């Protein structure tokens, strides 16, 4: 297979061998840090196994599912799982398999997960499901037990450096981003492509201000960050705060703040919880 995705050589070798030997499983969980390249790898894997060409008919053998179609934009509902069930019930059009890639699978509602379990219990021999998630612990144990988990490690500094080498970022920003990203090549590429280094800078400065702010100001910010207008950006902001505190782990209070951020991130990645209350609790304890 000729890969475009950077790194993950052991995982590439694994799937190449399984594909050559006809030993591919019917369901996988791709787990690892956010923005590390799991989704990109999954989509490329489906193309390589099915030997996808530009012909649109080949795209009919892949279904991509995420939270974007839901009313809130934060959940994957049972309606999407019903679409999956219908999709895998049909024979492949062109390739040997029909693939379903569920991005941010931890955003499935409990109802959706229970419905997906029924699909996993009676797998079609010509379908493969890939659940992409940074939070596999939010999946039902019965789902996890029916999937093979593939853990994606952080990229080594050399790969991150190669990506930054071709960017137009100033040296100081490139060096900061290399450390800040913690091996997340997807994050680095997004920042370069969207020219969004300023967002990271603004988020870091906001956290520094919050650490120094009084309780009333922190609660006001919590309300602002979780209103309908801003709550879509909350996950990214908390991710940036977490990565920044990881860089400062040897400083006083940094470990406690980082632990709080990890817990906060876990809660706000699940739509059934009260995000504003979780953020307020975190900020009060800064």
């Amino acid at each position: 297979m000729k890969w475009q995705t950077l790194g993950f050589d052991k995982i590439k070798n694994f799937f190449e061998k399984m594909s050559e030997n006809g030993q591919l499983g019917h369901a996988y969980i791709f787990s690892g840090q956010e923005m590390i390249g799991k989704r990109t790898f999954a989509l490329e894997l489906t193309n390589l196994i099915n030997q996808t060409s530009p012909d649109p008919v080949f795209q009919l053998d892949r279904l991509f599912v995420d939270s974007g179609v839901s009313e809130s934009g934060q959940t994957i509902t049972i309606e999407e799982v019903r679409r999956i069930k219908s999709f895998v019930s049909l024979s492949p059009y062109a390739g040997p398999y029909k693939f379903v890639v569920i991005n941010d699978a931890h955003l499935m509602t409990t109802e959706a997960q229970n419905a997906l379990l029924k699909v996993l219990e009676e797998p079609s021999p010509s379908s493969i499901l890939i659940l992409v998630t940074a939070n596999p612990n939010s999946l039902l144990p019965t789902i996890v037990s029916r999937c093979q988990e593939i853990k994606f490690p952080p990229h080594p500094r050399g790969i991150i450096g190669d990506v930054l080498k071709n960017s137009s970022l100033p040296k100081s920003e490139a060096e900061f981003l290399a450390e800040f990203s913690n091996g997340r090549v997807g994050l680095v590429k997004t920042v370069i492509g969207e020219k969004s280094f300023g967002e990271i800078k603004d988020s870091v400065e906001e956290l520094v201000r919050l650490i120094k702010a009084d309780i009333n100001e922190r609660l006001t910010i919590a309300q602002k960050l979780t209103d309908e207008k801003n709550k879509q950006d909350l996950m990214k902001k908390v991710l940036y705060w977490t990565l920044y505190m990881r860089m400062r782990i040897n400083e006083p209070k940094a470990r406690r703040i980082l632990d709080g951020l990890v817990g906060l991130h876990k809660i706000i990645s699940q739509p059934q919880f009260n995000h504003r209350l979780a953020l307020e609790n975190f900020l009060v304890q800064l």
Side-chain angles (χ1 to χ4, degrees):
M1 296 181 180
K2 189 175 181 180
W3 297 86
Q4 298 297 317
T5 304
L6 296 174
F8 306 132
D9 291 341
K10 290 183 179 180
I11 300 175
K12 290 175 181 176
N13 291 336
F14 169 79
F15 279 107
E16 288 173 1
K17 182 178 179 181
M18 293 298 102
S19 180
E20 290 170 3
N21 296 338
Q23 296 178 332
L24 289 168
H26 72 277
Y28 296 93
I29 293 173
F30 284 8
S31 64
Q33 296 181 150
E34 289 177 313
M35 302 184 76
I36 203 171
K38 305 182 299 299
R39 179 182 63 86
T40 300
F41 186 98
L43 294 175
E44 184 173 17
L45 178 66
T46 68
N47 290 338
L48 292 174
I49 291 177
N50 271 354
Q51 298 181 4
T52 303
S53 77
D55 190 331
V57 73
F58 280 86
Q59 300 304 318
L60 296 175
D61 284 333
R62 183 175 72 196
L63 177 64
F64 180 79
V65 176
D66 67 7
S67 62
V69 299
S70 70
E71 184 176 343
S72 67
Q74 294 183 300
T75 59
I76 297 172
T77 64
I78 191 171
E79 285 75 18
E80 287 302 294
V81 178
R82 287 171 179 156
R83 190 158 67 103
I84 292 170
K85 185 176 181 180
S86 175
F87 177 79
V88 299
S89 69
L90 303 174
S91 299
Y93 287 93
Y97 296 100
K98 292 183 79 71
F99 281 96
V100 178
V101 177
I102 306 177
N103 192 44
D104 291 333
H106 53 273
L107 295 181
M108 284 189 290
T109 63
T110 301
E111 187 181 31
Q113 291 196 47
N114 282 320
L116 184 68
L117 183 60
K118 294 180 181 178
V119 177
L120 293 171
E121 287 173 341
E122 300 176 0
S124 164
S126 60
S127 67
I128 297 176
L129 275 66
I130 302 176
L131 284 64
V132 180
T133 179
N135 192 5
N137 292 332
S138 295
L139 298 173
L140 294 175
T142 44
I143 285 182
V144 175
S145 68
R146 286 170 173 78
C147 301
Q148 182 174 354
E149 185 173 3
I150 307 295
K151 297 181 179 181
F152 284 69
H155 287 281
R157 190 65 173 264
I159 288 180
I160 301 297
D162 288 342
V163 174
L164 287 166
K165 211 178 285 183
N166 299 318
S167 76
S168 59
L169 285 174
K171 183 179 179 181
S172 60
E173 292 184 1
E175 290 176 347
F176 178 90
L177 187 56
E179 175 65 21
F180 178 84
S181 66
N182 192 31
R184 301 171 191 238
V185 73
L187 171 60
V188 173
K189 287 185 173 182
T190 298
V191 171
I192 293 172
E194 298 180 356
K195 298 181 179 180
S196 57
F197 186 85
E199 286 185 19
I200 294 176
K201 182 180 178 183
D202 291 344
S203 294
V204 167
E205 291 176 349
E206 183 175 40
L207 177 60
V208 172
R209 288 196 303 271
L210 283 167
I211 292 173
K212 299 176 181 177
D214 60 31
I215 295 297
N216 289 332
E217 185 177 351
R218 292 176 186 175
L219 294 179
T220 299
I221 293 296
Q223 180 178 359
K224 178 182 176 181
L225 292 179
T226 52
D227 65 21
E228 288 298 321
K229 180 181 177 181
N230 298 311
K231 67 180 182 180
Q232 294 287 354
D233 296 325
L234 182 59
M235 281 286 291
K236 181 189 289 187
K237 192 178 293 286
V238 172
L239 171 62
Y240 288 170
W241 290 353
T242 303
L243 291 174
Y244 176 65
M245 292 312 300
R246 185 196 63 80
M247 293 174 64
R248 305 183 62 171
I249 193 63
N250 293 323
E251 298 181 11
K253 294 172 57 175
R255 167 59 69 181
R256 179 176 59 78
I257 295 174
L258 181 59
D259 288 344
L261 283 166
V262 170
L264 173 63
H265 186 274
K266 183 176 181 180
I267 292 174
I268 65 173
S269 69
Q270 301 175 72
Q272 68 268 31
F273 293 123
N274 187 322
H275 295 179
R276 180 175 172 181
L277 179 60
L279 182 58
E280 287 178 348
N281 286 339
F282 166 73
L283 294 178
V284 165
Q285 296 175 43
L286 273 179

